[in-house]
């Protein structure tokens, strides 16, 4: 249960060189009910908080997993006309060609890495999330493969699983070039299993964005990307989807 702040130099272009401090909200932890084999940081969607997901995750039949559910900083969000709400990064438009808030993304996944850094060495580490949280999880996967954050600093966590529900990959259009130029990045990408789930009736993050992100990650060298679609599912989760998440995590993490 902690509040943390992260200060970084802006990675934007032009005159955006001021430092800004981002204060993260409360972190909720769901302790494992049996032998601790894996820890997953789970990230909520836009305007939500860690509490709501911690309650859902606490009821999943995954007794060997510890869940860490942080709360995003409150920040003005461009797509909401500048209205401030809990968001892992600023989002102006959902588009492969839209600008990415690399500074905000880096700050959030550095916060996630910090939460995972104190876990026991024999515990497998993963990241998952919903919507904007899923976008952050997939961005973490890309940084893991490249071995560095978007700002070039080393990425320190050895990920073993990534789950994204109703999300997308920021910067997907550049991923293939970034990973293809490094044998080590290609090796790391090929080692990381990723599960993506998306509803065909999603009215917030269109299904095609999730599908396209899955295709672009596969073409960039992520060999173990599983993409599941759900007929009639909007921008929310349902028991069937969470059952398949549980089955997938059991198979990948032995949890």
């Amino acid at each position: 249960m902690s509040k943390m702040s992260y200060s970084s130099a802006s990675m934007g272009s032009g005159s955006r060189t001021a430092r800004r401090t981002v204060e993260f909200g409360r972190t909720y932890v769901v302790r494992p009910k049996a032998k601790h084999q894996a820890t997953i940081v789970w990230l909520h969607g836009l305007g939500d908080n860690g509490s709501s997901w911690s309650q859902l995750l606490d009821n999943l039949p995954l007794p060997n997993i510890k869940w860490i559910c942080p709360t995003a900083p409150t920040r003005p969000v461009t797509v909401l006309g500048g209205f401030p709400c809990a968001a892992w990064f600023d989002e102006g438009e959902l588009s492969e060609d839209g600008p990415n808030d690399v500074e905000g993304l880096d700050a959030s996944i550095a916060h996630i890495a910090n939460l995972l850094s104190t876990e026991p060495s024999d515990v497998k580490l993963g990241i998952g999330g919903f919507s904007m949280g899923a976008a952050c999880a997939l961005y973490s996967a890309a940084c893991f493969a490249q071995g560095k954050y978007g700002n070039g600093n080393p990425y320190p966590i050895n990920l073993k699983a990534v789950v994204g529900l109703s999300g997308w990959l920021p910067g997907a259009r550049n991923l293939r070039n970034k990973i293809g130029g490094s044998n080590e990045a290609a090796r790391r990408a090929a080692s990381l299993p990723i599960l993506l789930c998306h509803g065909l009736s999603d009215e917030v993050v269109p299904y095609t964005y999730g599908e396209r992100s899955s295709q672009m990650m596969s073409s960039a060298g992520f060999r173990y990307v599983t993409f599941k679609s759900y007929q009639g599912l909007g921008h929310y989760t349902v028991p069937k989807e969470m059952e398949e998440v549980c089955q997938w995590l059991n198979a990948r993490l032995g949890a």
Side-chain angles (χ1 to χ4, degrees), residues 3-70:
K3 282 195 171 184
M4 295 186 63
S5 62
Y6 177 95
S7 180
S8 69
S10 171
M11 271 68 78
S13 59
S15 62
R16 293 179 65 248
T17 56
R19 296 176 69 84
R20 73 183 184 193
T21 299
V22 177
E23 184 170 309
F24 290 83
R26 185 174 178 180
T27 296
Y28 299 80
V29 177
V30 178
R31 303 288 175 185
K33 299 171 179 63
K35 182 183 177 182
H36 184 193
Q37 294 180 331
T39 296
I40 298 176
V41 172
W42 190 270
L43 307 171
H44 62 76
L46 180 64
D48 202 355
N49 60 65
S51 175
S52 58
W53 275 98
S54 70
Q55 295 169 44
L56 185 154
L57 297 168
D58 193 21
N59 291 317
L60 296 182
L62 295 168
N64 304 110
I65 291 182
K66 172 183 175 181
W67 300 92
I68 301 175
C69 303

Side-chain angles (χ1 to χ4, degrees), residues 1 4 13 16 38-40 44 49 62 74 76 80 84 99 102 117 124 153 155 177 205 222 224 233 236 241 253:
M1 310 282 187
M4 295 186 63
S13 59
R16 293 179 65 248
T39 296
I40 298 176
H44 62 76
N49 60 65
L62 295 168
T74 297
L80 300 178
V102 175
S117 65
K124 297 175 182 177
N153 291 335
Y155 182 78
N177 290 339
V205 180
F222 288 88
Y224 300 108
L233 179 63
Y236 48 87
E241 183 179 46
L253 300 179

Side-chain angles (χ1 to χ4, degrees), residues 85-135:
C85 70
W88 299 108
F89 55 94
D90 185 27
E91 182 61 50
E93 58 175 304
L94 276 180
S95 168
E96 291 172 7
D97 299 318
N100 294 311
D101 177 17
V102 175
E103 180 185 1
L105 284 159
D106 279 347
S108 287
I109 68 167
H111 180 64
I112 297 162
N114 185 62
L115 292 171
L116 289 171
S117 65
T118 55
E119 292 301 291
S121 60
D122 61 339
V123 166
K124 297 175 182 177
L125 306 178
I127 301 175
F130 175 80
S131 190
M132 179 176 266

Side-chain angles (χ1 to χ4, degrees), residues 191-213:
S191 73
L192 181 63
I194 299 172
L195 173 65
L196 302 179
C197 303
H198 218 110
L200 285 159
S201 300
D202 194 322
E203 71 286 0
V204 178
V205 180
Y207 172 82
T208 52
Y209 286 55
E211 183 180 45
R212 180 69 174 151
S213 293

